[in-house]
Amino acid sequence: MSEYLGSGPDRRPQTTLRQRLAELRGPAAAPHPLDARALAALAANPGCRRRALLDGAGVDKAALASALGAPSGFGQSQFAFMRGNAFEAKVKADGGTELLRLLGVDGREDVRVPDLAAAGPQGRAARTALALREATEAGAEGAWSLLDHPMLALEVAGSPAYLEPDAVVVSPDGRWTVVEIKSFPMIDGSADAAKVGAAARQAAVYVLALERVAALTQGAEVAHSVLLVCPRDFSNQPTGSVVDVRKQLSVTRRQLARLTRIEDIAAALPEGVTFDVETCSADQLSAAVDAVPHAYAPECLAACELAFHCRDRARSAGAVEALGRSLRGELGGLTTVGAVLSAARGETGDPDDPAVAALRRAAALRAESLEEAGACR
């Protein structure tokens, strides 16, 4: 029992770290929750220490971006949020009958819906772990269980994260299946590939957290396929699709393991650095943000509230990262646009460097093309 009650992140002494993180976000600021969507974005860019620290400290990045003068349009509109909530309520209405129907469960007589209420995220995570164990035991007697908004715990870079999937279904064979409910439509049996991919990456984080609890639960197995529930065609009727997230799970597990621990990033900061938007000026916040290394890429525009600020900094520094990760990888040791242009003109760079040789060849071909175009006029 004690293992389940302690199902949250490892309880090592973290008083000093917690105090430091509270100082970073501001003493009056409540910690912004680190959800699965943020974890999926963090796993997609594990080299960004800036995002790792801000997320680990619970800093409200949207408020920080606005205070810096670079607000981002990232996030759900209020209308989309309300529509999503209404659709989720419809899917789960009447004890989740419609949701269970999508899983092939027609009757409700053997369906359990445990109460997951508890005090605080740690208490809810412990209650969820206990409910999962009880549901697995009940499954041996042929019962299905539906856990509505369970709380899962996961340690990320030494900092605890509490995650709340839409639902987890426990089948009689002891298999735990994550259910993701989205409001984007599934037309003729298929949905927008980009949105499905984002949902799969988010669900993979939930699967990873569930595996930690399943490792302590006899007879439990976490499904590596999740049920994605969306509106059918242009109606509000739910339809389901099974999505295999093994690839996303493998990438997420590997990328999260690569993250530098939060305390190491915080220890490298200058004394007095804080991201308190209530007490700091825009210049102070800008200096604080710039004190933490970032790893901007154009993909950040769709995943991070600070993307516009980081893009401006990358552009002002002439960093090639602003042009994309693939291009940055091909340029090797040439890290700025100025260095790239200088190498292409033959002013700097090792001619034996493949990147330099390719740039000079491209510059020569461009000059020839311009010369021929001028001659044809």
Side-chain angles (χ1 to χ4, degrees):
M1 179 72 74
S2 60
E3 287 183 292
Y4 288 91
L5 294 178
S7 60
D10 296 336
R11 288 185 170 84
R12 294 188 293 271
Q14 293 186 347
T15 304
T16 302
L17 175 61
R18 288 175 180 170
Q19 289 177 346
R20 178 61 176 138
L21 296 182
E23 293 170 357
L24 287 174
R25 67 175 175 266
H32 201 68
L34 182 59
D35 59 15
R37 184 173 299 180
L39 277 183
L42 188 58
N45 191 8
C48 187
R49 295 191 171 197
R50 180 175 295 174
R51 172 150 198 169
L53 179 65
L54 294 175
D55 282 345
V59 175
D60 186 345
K61 297 194 298 299
L64 179 58
S66 296
L68 290 170
S72 172
F74 169 74
Q76 269 190 328
S77 68
Q78 188 64 24
F79 173 75
F81 184 75
M82 293 174 61
R83 182 181 61 188
N85 283 346
F87 179 67
E88 181 178 337
K90 178 179 178 64
V91 173
K92 294 179 178 178
D94 196 21
T97 301
E98 188 67 20
L99 172 58
L100 292 165
R101 183 189 63 79
L102 295 174
L103 287 167
V105 184
D106 295 327
R108 292 182 49 204
E109 60 276 6
D110 292 326
V111 176
R112 302 171 62 257
V113 184
D115 182 7
L116 303 178
Q122 286 184 332
R124 289 188 58 199
R127 179 69 189 92
T128 295
L130 182 60
L132 285 167
R133 186 187 68 176
E134 293 172 344
T136 304
E137 293 173 349
E141 301 174 0
W144 289 75
S145 296
L146 171 63
L147 279 68
D148 186 8
H149 282 290
M151 182 67 73
L152 306 173
L154 188 66
E155 185 173 291
V156 180
S159 183
Y162 293 96
L163 314 171
E164 189 175 2
D166 293 327
V168 171
V169 174
V170 180
S171 61
D173 61 0
R175 177 167 299 212
W176 302 352
T177 301
V178 171
V179 178
E180 271 291 278
I181 302 173
K182 299 296 184 183
S183 59
F184 56 81
M186 192 175 294
I187 302 174
D188 292 334
S190 62
D192 182 270
K195 293 180 179 179
V196 172
R201 289 189 294 272
Q202 183 177 340
V205 177
Y206 297 136
V207 172
L208 188 62
L210 270 178
E211 286 183 339
R212 187 180 186 277
V213 185
L216 302 173
T217 306
Q218 185 176 2
E221 179 185 2
V222 182
H224 290 169
S225 295
V226 304
L227 178 65
L228 176 63
V229 181
C230 300
R232 179 191 293 114
D233 299 327
F234 300 100
S235 70
N236 200 36
Q237 294 301 314
T239 185
S241 176
V242 176
V243 180
D244 190 333
V245 298
R246 284 177 296 181
K247 179 180 178 181
Q248 292 83 357
L249 179 62
S250 176
V251 171
T252 300
R253 183 184 288 112
R254 182 174 65 252
Q255 296 292 66
L256 290 181
R258 289 178 53 199
L259 288 173
T260 304
R261 296 183 66 82
I262 300 300
E263 55 260 51
D264 295 336
I265 303 175
L269 294 178
E271 188 68 26
V273 167
T274 179
F275 307 102
D276 189 353
V277 296
E278 298 295 332
T279 61
C280 295
S281 66
D283 290 339
Q284 289 173 323
L285 290 173
S286 180
V289 170
D290 290 345
V292 190
H294 69 96
Y296 171 78
E299 294 85 351
C300 296
L301 294 172
C304 183
E305 296 88 340
L306 279 179
F308 287 148
H309 174 80
C310 297
R311 183 182 64 178
D312 291 344
R313 287 293 191 266
R315 285 178 172 176
S316 63
V320 296
E321 286 88 350
L323 304 177
R325 289 196 183 105
S326 59
L327 182 59
R328 171 68 187 90
E330 293 176 359
L331 291 174
L334 303 173
T335 59
T336 65
V337 174
V340 170
L341 295 176
S342 178
R345 292 191 295 262
E347 298 171 355
T348 60
D350 182 0
D352 294 330
D353 185 336
V356 174
L359 286 169
R360 291 180 181 176
R361 176 60 178 161
L365 291 173
R366 178 178 181 275
E368 291 177 11
S369 299
L370 292 175
E371 184 177 349
E372 292 176 1
C376 291
R377 290 179 181 176

